[in-house]
Structures are given as structure tokens and as C-alpha cells.
């Protein structure tokens, strides 16, 4: 080995650049360190190089707004550093959003706009598992079941959303928050042998909720052995979202530790509850008749951005869309190779984008190549926690945005990523308007057969709390693959939290079984990862030139296209006569309810030939 030819190694440094100066830089730096979980941040350190992404950037925006300055997601992406963001905010007059606090509540507690949508769907369709949010974790180690049940009651007492039922008052839906003393949390312990475990979990995930009668939470502890359990937490979406699972399990773990020590948990009080948010949301959005209100401004944005959006993009489905969707779904999950994950990180950093933007571009490019056209609308969830008071609260805050992706021309992947970056930043600056209001503003052609505005969802989950240790046991998520499908395709890239000892990322595709076979979706997932690998290796290569098919698929195509084969020197009549002799009673033709055997077909052919000749048409 010729050591002189090796490059000089570089050692990454976490040392910050110059320290923040002035009150505003110091306050912004404190926000960066809190959100990123670091001890210090320099004034010129890049937020995204330090580990930031779009979800954490949203938290930065919320905390800076709480300090009295109007800050947008675009500000964070474009400024990137404490110094840059401070300079940008200094140039702008401060705008105070309404403060989110606990307030005196009216007699009727309204639902949030997101809750209202799910309530109306429940009223129209009846109870179903479409909006179930299940989570299961395997716990290996001794478990104090009594302490766990007490801890569950502590958490339900802490979060009002978990002890809320939904009534109708004066013709309008309302929240009815139960007192903790009046709540009996559904908690069941079941002995389950290992061979029945997977089926039991999948079945439990599909249990139904009656919103006016049931708590939106039920917990089942599946006991495989004395030191081996699966904790199954099932919640209705009307009371929670995916982001809430972190605070819920963190609080449950804290309460369990206290109960096993023989005391009640000493929780830090929550600044607000979900009902406070529902009231504040109406104040934030303002009157839609007011031209200066947030509702009016964001409605105008979405009406313009989504004008003439295609009602439906063609996808390579295995079956036509049914008149009424069953919402039955299944999931295909594939791992990403470590070198591909590292390449995606480099591509995101080099382009100034986030990992979500990279996978958004990849999904849009794939659908484009599969025949969906140049105008690709995708849905994506956003956390919807626009105030730091909501960070640790369990509730339904997530909103859905429509990301319209332009693939016109012959863009390279790098060019598409630039377009996606601009699209996503614009969307993130207008995420307060509820999705239902966006649908109403755009007013697409309505259909019960498909989701409005988009039919494919794309999302990225990165980081999050480390849940590998819960209740003093070794914990591992038990993946749930069945359940409802809200969309034709729901593509989720998941990355394990940092600190678990791996940089694992997976791509999961939940699909509507009304439309797709599992094999079709497995091929789609493979093509998506193949496209990503080429985009990482050659981002300046046109998307139209990226190879989607595998070597096996190319071999299959070559076989199908091979026409060199012996052709028998006989007519179709000769072939039919031979088949009549070989299998006279086998079915030859099916037309509706009519079935003809080979003998009947031959007889019919003779009759037709006779008719043609007698009519003078001729034997040819």
C-alpha cells in the first residue's frame, strides 16, 4: 500500500463557529440547540448540516413565533444559520399571532377542523377501521402489569384528548371531555402463543370505535411468556396522530417508572389541552369573509396553486376503480441499502433540500415514468403543531397538503429536485388552512370512488424518540401490515432515530387491494429504489433515461419479443378440427352466460360458412 497516494483524512468537527452576539442571535441559537438536541450552536452553523430537516424546521418556526417574530419555513431554509435568520427577522416588522393558552371554555366545545372532517366521515360511512392508528411494541423482560395499568390511567388523566367522546349539541358536533375519575381505560391482558401472535395483533388493529360511546383509546397486553409481551395501543385518529405516539409512550414510560416505585408520576404540567387548541385554531384562521384573515390569504394561495389540477392521475392498477372503495389495504416494506442511504444524505445536503424533498421528487418521477403524466399531485402530512405549547400534547394536529409536481420538459433529477424544493417550501408556508377548506376552495369534481385532489401520499419519518427501551425492558416495534388504505398508494420512508446504532431506512408502500395486487406493488417499490440509486449516482441525468426495469424483467421482455419459432403449415380450420378431435367437450368460447364446447363451435362454424355461401358472399 502506497500511503503517500492516500487522501489526507479529515476529522468532522462539532465545534461551533463564532458564538452568537446580541439578544436576538442568542435567542435564535437557543431555539436551534433545543430543537436539535445540541449543547451549543454557532452563529454561522448550518441548521441542516447539524441534522435539521423540515419537521424540525417547523418547530423552529413555532418557537420563534412564540418569541414575537413572524418567521416562515422558507426563512429557515434560505437563511440556514442563526446569523442569517436573525438578520432576516430584523428587516421585518414583527407580527404577533394570537397566543395559545388555556382559556375559559364555552358550554359547547367545538371540534378542531381536522376532527370535524373525521366526525362527518364517521356519520356518513358508519364505524370503520379506516382511521384507526395502531401501534405495537414487543417488550422483552419482566413487566409489572399492575403498574402499567396504573400508568395508563395516569396518562389518560394527563391528556384530555384520550378521555373525550363526541356528541351532538344543537345540531353540531362537540367534544365531551370526561373527568379522570369517570374514566375506565380499556385495558386487556391476553395470553397468546407465539404462533398466533401476528394474527392476533393484526385483528386487534381493526377493532371499531363508536365515537359517541367509546374512549378513543384501548390497550391490549399480549402475553407470550412471563418476560415476553406485546403492548398493543389502538387509538382513533380523531384523538391523535403519528407524532403523538412519541409523547404518549414517553409519558407512559415515566408514569410506569413512578408506579413501580410506589408513587404517582411527577409530570411537568401541560400548558394547554386539545380543546384549547380547537378554540385557538378558529381565532388563528379568522373570518373567511375578512380579506385580511389568514383563511382568506391561504385560500387564495391554494386556489391559485391548484387551479386545473388533474382530478385523477393514471396509475398501473391491476383492476378498475370500484364504485365504492372497500378501504382494504396491505403493506409492502423494503429496506434501503446503507450506501443508498448515505448517498441520499449527500444528495440532500448538496442540493440544499431535505430528505423528504428527495423522496418526494423520486416518487413523482416514478409515477411520471409509469404513465401518470407531467402534472403529478401528491399528498403529504404535516405536523400541524404551529406553537411550541403543542410539542408534548397528544392530539390530532396533523394536516394534509397537496404538492403539485411539475415534470414537464425533460428535467434531470437535480432540476426536478429544484422544482420540488420550491413547491414544498411554498406549501409549508401555507399549512394552516385545513385540508377540507382547500378542497372546498379548489372545488374539484367530487367522486366517492377516489380521494379528492390526490390519490398518492408520500411521507418521510426521520429521527424521533428512541423507543428501544420502555418500561425497563428491551423494546422493539412490532410492525403492523394490514389495515385500512385511505389512498391508492401511501408511500412512507422511515429512518430509525439516531443513537440506535444503525442508519437503517425502509420504504413502506401501503396500497388499496381494490386496485393493486401485492406483486405489482412489490415491483413498484423495487423500481422506486432503483430510480433512487441512479438519481444518487447521476443526479444530472434526465429522468427519462433512468432505468426502471430489473435484469430479470429485461430478460422476460426479450423472451416475449422473440418471434423465432416454428409455424405449422395448417389453417385455423385445420387447427380447430384437430382440437375438436382431441377435446370435443372442453369449453372453447365464453361470451357472457354462453359457453360453447369445441364440438359446438365447429358446428356453428359450419353453419356460418353455409350461410355465407348461400347468400352469395363466396367461400373466401
Amino acid at each position: 500500500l502506497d500511503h503517500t497516494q492516500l487522501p489526507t483524512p479529515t476529522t468532522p468537527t462539532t465545534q461551533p463557529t463564532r458564538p452568537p452576539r446580541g439578544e436576538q442571535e442568542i435567542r435564535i441559537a437557543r431555539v436551534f440547540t433545543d430543537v436539535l438536541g445540541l449543547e451549543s450552536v454557532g452563529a454561522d452553523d448550518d441548521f441542516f448540516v447539524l441534522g435539521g430537516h423540515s419537521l424540525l424546521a417547523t418547530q423552529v418556526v413555532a418557537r420563534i413565533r412564540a418569541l414575537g417574530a413572524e418567521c416562515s419555513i422558507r426563512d429557515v431554509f434560505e437563511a440556514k444559520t442563526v446569523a442569517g435568520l436573525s438578520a432576516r427577522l430584523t428587516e421585518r416588522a414583527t407580527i404577533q399571532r394570537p397566543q395559545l393558552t388555556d382559556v375559559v371554555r364555552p358550554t359547547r366545545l367545538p371540534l378542531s377542523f381536522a376532527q370535524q372532517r373525521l366526525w362527518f366521515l364517521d356519520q356518513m360511512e358508519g364505524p370503520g377501521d379506516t382511521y384507526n392508528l395502531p401501534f405495537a411494541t414487543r417488550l422483552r423482560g419482566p413487566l409489572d402489569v399492575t403498574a402499567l395499568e396504573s400508568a395508563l390511567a395516569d396518562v389518560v388523566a394527563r391528556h384530555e384528548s384520550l378521555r373525550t367522546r363526541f356528541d351532538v349539541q344543537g345540531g353540531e358536533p362537540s367534544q365531551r371531555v370526561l373527568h379522570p375519575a369517570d374514566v375506565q381505560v380499556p385495558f386487556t391482558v391476553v395470553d397468546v402463543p407465539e404462533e398466533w401472535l401476528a394474527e392476533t395483533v393484526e385483528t386487534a388493529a381493526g377493532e371499531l370505535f363508536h365515537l359517541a360511546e367509546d374512549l378513543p383509546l384501548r390497550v391490549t397486553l399480549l402475553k407470550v411468556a412471563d418476560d415476553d409481551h406485546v403492548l398493543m395501543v389502538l387509538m382513533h385518529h380523531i384523538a391523535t396522530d403519528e407524532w403523538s405516539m412519541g409523547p404518549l409512550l414517553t409519558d407512559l414510560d415515566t408514569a410506569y417508572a413512578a408506579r413501580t416505585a410506589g408513587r404517582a408520576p411527577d409530570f411537568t404540567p401541560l400548558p394547554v389541552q386539545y380543546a384549547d387548541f380547537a378554540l385557538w385554531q378558529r381565532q388563528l384562521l379568522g373570518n373567511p369573509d375578512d380579506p385580511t384573515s389568514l383563511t382568506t390569504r391561504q385560500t387564495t394561495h391554494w386556489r391559485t396553486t391548484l387551479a386545473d389540477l388533474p382530478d385523477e392521475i393514471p396509475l398501473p392498477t391491476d383492476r378498475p376503480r370500484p364504485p365504492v372503495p372497500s378501504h382494504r389495504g396491505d403493506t409492502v416494506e423494503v429496506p434501503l441499502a446503507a450506501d443508498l442511504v448515505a448517498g441520499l444524505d449527500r444528495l440532500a445536503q448538496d442540493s440544499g433540500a431535505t430528505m423528504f424533498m428527495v423522496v418526494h421528487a423520486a416518487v413523482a418521477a416514478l409515477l411520471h415514468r409509469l404513465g401518470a403524466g407531467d402534472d403529478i399531485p401528491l399528498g403529504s402530512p404535516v405536523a400541524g403543531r404551529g406553537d411550541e405549547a403543542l410539542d408534548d400534547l397528544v392530539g390530532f394536529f396533523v394536516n394534509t397538503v397537496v404538492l403539485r409536481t411539475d415534470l414537464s420538459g425533460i428535467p434531470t433529477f437535480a432540476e426536478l429536485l429544484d422544482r420540488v424544493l420550491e413547491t414544498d417550501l411554498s406549501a409549508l408556508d401555507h399549512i394552516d388552512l385545513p385540508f377540507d377548506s382547500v378542497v372546498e376552495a379548489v372545488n374539484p369534481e367530487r367522486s366517492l370512488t377516489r380521494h379528492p385532489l390526490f390519490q398518492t401520499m408520500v411521507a418521510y419519518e426521520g429521527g424521533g424518540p428512541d423507543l428501544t427501551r420502555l418500561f425497563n425492558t428491551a423494546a422493539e416495534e412490532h410492525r403492523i401490515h394490514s389495515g385500512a388504505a385511505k389512498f391508492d398508494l401511501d408511500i412512507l420512508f422511515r429512518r430509525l432515530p439516531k443513537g440506535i446504532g444503525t442508519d437503517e431506512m425502509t420504504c413502506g408502500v401501503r396500497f388499496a387491494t381494490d386496485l393493486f395486487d401485492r406483486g405489482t406493488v412489490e415491483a413498484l417499490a423495487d423500481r422506486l429504489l432503483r430510480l433512487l440509486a441512479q438519481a444518487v449516482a447521476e443526479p444530472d441525468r434526465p429522468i427519462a433515461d433512468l432505468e426502471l426495469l430489473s435484469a430479470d424483467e429485461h430478460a422476460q421482455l426479450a423472451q416475449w419479443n422473440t418471434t423465432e419459432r416454428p409455424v405449422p403449415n395448417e389453417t385455423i380450420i385445420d387447427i380447430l378440427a384437430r382440437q375438436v378431435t382431441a377435446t370435443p367437450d372442453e369449453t372453447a368460447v365464453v361470451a357472457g352466460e354462453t359457453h360453447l364446447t369445441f364440438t359446438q363451435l365447429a358446428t356453428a362454424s359450419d353453419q356460418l360458412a353455409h350461410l355465407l355461401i348461400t347468400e352469395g358472399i363466396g367461400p373466401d
Side-chain angles (χ1 to χ4, degrees):
L1 180 64
D2 185 354
H3 293 273
T4 63
Q5 298 302 309
L6 294 176
T8 302
T10 59
T11 303
T13 177
T14 57
Q15 294 299 315
T17 56
R18 73 164 178 87
R21 292 193 294 263
E23 181 180 354
Q24 182 161 270
E25 281 194 0
I26 291 173
R27 293 166 76 183
I28 295 173
R30 189 175 300 121
V31 170
F32 276 28
T33 56
D34 289 347
V35 168
L36 294 169
L38 301 175
E39 293 184 1
S40 62
V41 171
D44 299 313
D45 289 337
D46 189 306
F47 175 78
F48 297 97
V49 172
L50 294 175
H53 50 72
S54 54
L55 185 57
L56 292 180
T58 302
Q59 292 186 46
V60 169
V61 170
R63 297 189 183 207
I64 290 177
R65 284 173 174 171
L67 297 176
E70 180 55 29
C71 179
S72 70
I73 196 77
R74 183 182 295 274
D75 292 329
V76 179
F77 269 85
E78 293 179 350
K80 300 182 186 297
T81 66
V82 169
L85 190 55
S86 176
R88 178 170 289 213
L89 299 183
T90 299
E91 297 174 358
R92 182 181 304 149
T94 58
I95 302 173
Q96 186 74 43
R97 284 191 163 205
Q99 188 176 5
L100 174 55
T101 60
D102 56 338
V103 296
V104 177
R105 298 179 180 180
T107 303
R108 185 185 74 83
L109 277 176
L111 278 60
S112 70
F113 291 110
Q115 284 183 321
Q116 197 165 286
R117 175 171 180 263
L118 293 196
W119 184 86
F120 278 120
L121 288 174
D122 183 80
Q123 295 295 300
M124 182 173 64
E125 300 174 358
D129 65 350
T130 306
Y131 290 96
N132 281 9
L133 283 185
F135 176 84
T137 182
R138 188 134 190 189
L139 308 171
R140 300 184 188 274
L143 191 67
D144 187 333
V145 177
T146 302
L148 181 60
E149 185 172 12
S150 298
L152 180 63
D154 293 328
V155 172
V156 171
R158 175 170 169 78
H159 296 276
E160 287 184 356
S161 59
L162 301 178
R163 47 186 169 90
T164 297
R165 292 176 179 158
F166 299 88
D167 298 330
V168 177
Q169 295 183 17
E172 295 290 335
S174 64
Q175 299 186 62
R176 179 160 60 94
V177 181
L178 304 180
H179 190 277
D182 299 329
V183 172
Q184 180 63 46
V185 182
F187 178 78
T188 308
V189 181
V190 181
D191 289 324
V192 179
E194 179 70 40
E195 60 269 24
W196 294 357
L197 183 60
E199 181 181 353
T200 303
V201 170
E202 299 288 343
T203 301
E207 293 181 1
L208 304 184
F209 289 94
H210 295 80
L211 300 182
E213 304 167 7
D214 300 334
L215 291 181
L217 164 72
R218 59 185 61 137
V219 178
T220 305
L221 185 66
L222 305 175
K223 182 179 179 182
V224 183
D226 289 341
D227 58 352
D228 188 0
H229 301 78
V230 172
L231 181 67
M232 173 74 185
V233 179
L234 179 64
M235 293 186 284
H236 194 284
H237 207 341
I238 202 167
T240 190
D241 54 25
E242 290 82 354
W243 177 270
S244 296
M245 192 55 65
L248 175 70
L249 292 176
T250 299
D251 285 350
L252 190 58
D253 189 57
T254 298
Y256 177 84
R259 290 300 176 180
T260 55
R263 55 180 176 79
D266 185 20
F267 287 128
T268 301
L270 293 168
V272 294
Q273 291 287 347
Y274 191 83
D276 301 314
F277 163 78
L279 295 167
W280 172 81
Q281 186 184 38
R282 283 165 166 72
Q283 183 185 5
L284 171 70
L285 292 172
N287 188 339
D289 296 328
D290 178 0
T292 65
S293 70
L294 188 60
T295 288
T296 302
R297 288 183 277 125
Q298 294 201 6
T299 295
T300 300
H301 166 83
W302 288 113
R303 187 181 288 127
T304 302
T305 301
L306 303 181
D308 301 319
L309 190 75
D311 291 322
E312 180 179 342
I313 59 174
L315 295 175
T317 61
D318 296 295
R319 287 169 290 282
R321 194 178 296 279
V324 179
S326 71
H327 296 299
R328 288 190 295 269
D330 195 2
T331 301
V332 167
E333 186 173 86
V334 292
L336 275 67
D339 59 342
L340 176 56
V341 176
L344 292 172
D345 283 333
R346 288 194 304 272
L347 179 59
Q349 184 171 332
D350 292 345
S351 63
T354 64
M355 183 66 77
F356 168 75
M357 295 173 183
V358 173
V359 300
H360 167 195
V363 171
L366 176 68
L367 298 185
H368 167 72
R369 287 291 307 277
L370 294 178
D374 295 340
D375 191 356
I376 309 290
L378 298 172
S380 186
V382 291
R385 297 174 184 252
D387 192 289
E388 63 176 331
L390 305 176
D391 286 355
D392 298 323
L393 191 61
V394 173
F396 183 18
F397 303 102
V398 70
N399 195 12
T400 300
V401 294
V402 184
L403 306 174
R404 188 175 194 172
T405 318
D406 176 18
L407 284 114
S408 60
I410 309 177
T412 66
F413 192 83
E415 290 169 343
L416 176 61
L417 192 51
D418 287 340
R419 298 180 189 180
V420 163
L421 188 149
E422 181 61 32
T423 295
D424 291 0
L425 288 181
S426 179
L428 290 170
D429 279 340
H430 299 86
I431 59 174
D432 298 296
L433 192 68
F435 177 74
D436 269 10
S437 298
V438 174
V439 174
E440 184 178 345
V442 178
N443 195 25
E445 180 181 342
R446 307 301 174 89
S447 172
L448 294 177
T449 67
R450 62 172 181 258
H451 193 273
L453 300 184
F454 68 91
Q455 293 81 48
T456 297
M457 175 77 84
V458 60
Y460 169 74
E461 289 181 6
D466 182 354
L467 301 177
T468 56
R469 192 76 187 169
L470 287 171
F471 319 124
N472 204 29
T473 68
E476 179 183 2
E477 183 179 355
H478 180 102
R479 303 305 300 276
I480 300 171
H481 296 291
S482 65
K486 305 180 186 69
F487 316 102
D488 295 357
L489 295 170
D490 189 349
I491 303 174
L492 170 63
F493 287 82
R494 298 179 80 232
R495 192 171 197 163
L496 289 180
K498 293 180 179 179
I500 293 184
T502 180
D503 206 17
E504 178 184 344
M505 187 185 295
T506 60
C507 173
V509 184
R510 181 170 288 274
F511 60 95
T513 55
D514 287 344
L515 302 177
F516 296 98
D517 292 333
R518 185 175 182 86
T520 300
V521 178
E522 288 173 344
L524 183 145
D526 287 342
R527 289 168 185 161
L528 178 56
L529 298 196
R530 195 172 298 116
L531 184 150
L532 274 171
Q534 294 171 81
V536 165
E538 299 179 87
D540 293 322
R541 185 178 175 187
I543 290 170
D545 293 343
L546 299 181
E547 182 57 68
L548 297 186
L549 301 183
S550 67
D552 289 342
E553 288 172 322
H554 275 294
Q556 182 69 72
L557 282 176
Q559 180 182 346
W560 286 341
N561 290 329
T562 299
T563 58
E564 297 176 358
R565 65 188 65 189
V567 179
N569 185 22
E570 54 185 347
T571 67
I572 187 67
I573 299 300
D574 296 331
I575 296 173
L576 177 60
R578 177 159 42 81
Q579 195 65 41
V580 168
T581 302
T583 58
D585 298 323
E586 292 292 327
T587 299
V589 175
V590 177
E593 299 297 324
T594 302
H595 294 244
L596 296 181
T597 65
F598 279 101
T599 299
Q600 292 170 327
L601 178 62
T603 302
S605 300
D606 290 340
Q607 293 171 348
L608 177 61
H610 177 74
L611 177 64
L612 295 175
I613 293 172
T614 57
E615 291 295 326
I617 298 175
D620 294 335

